[in-house]
Amino acid sequence: VSLNQAECSLETVRGRVSCSWKRVNGGAEILVHIPPTASAKFPFRGRINGEEIEKNSYYPAGEYKIFKE
């Protein structure tokens, strides 16, 4: 069995956190929503809007579309 996409969300004391991913072009497109009073650490390398992100980078609240090869 092989997964081509998945999604999840969780209600936290800081708001809803959600994440989804799907396979595209030999990699994965990851969509992440971080609630307004939170931040997140992405434990992988990838690209946001064509710019490289380093492993374990912290990002403030917002919505991010990440491409990971």
Side-chain angles (χ1 to χ4, degrees), residues 5-8 18-22 29-33 64:
Q5 63 184 42
E7 61 183 69
C8 64
S18 63
C19 179
S20 64
W21 65 267
K22 63 182 176 181
E29 181 181 272
I30 305 162
L31 302 174
V32 178
H33 172 79
Y64 298 94

Side-chain angles (χ1 to χ4, degrees), residues 48-69:
I48 296 176
N49 298 328
E51 292 187 28
E52 291 288 325
I53 61 171
E54 291 297 317
K55 183 176 180 179
N56 295 321
S57 296
Y58 282 91
Y59 282 83
E63 294 197 351
Y64 298 94
K65 182 188 275 189
I66 304 161
F67 182 76
K68 180 173 177 10
E69 296 185 73

Side-chain angles (χ1 to χ4, degrees), residues 4-16:
N4 290 317
Q5 63 184 42
E7 61 183 69
C8 64
S9 64
L10 176 68
E11 288 295 332
T12 73
V13 295
R14 294 182 179 261
R16 180 181 288 250

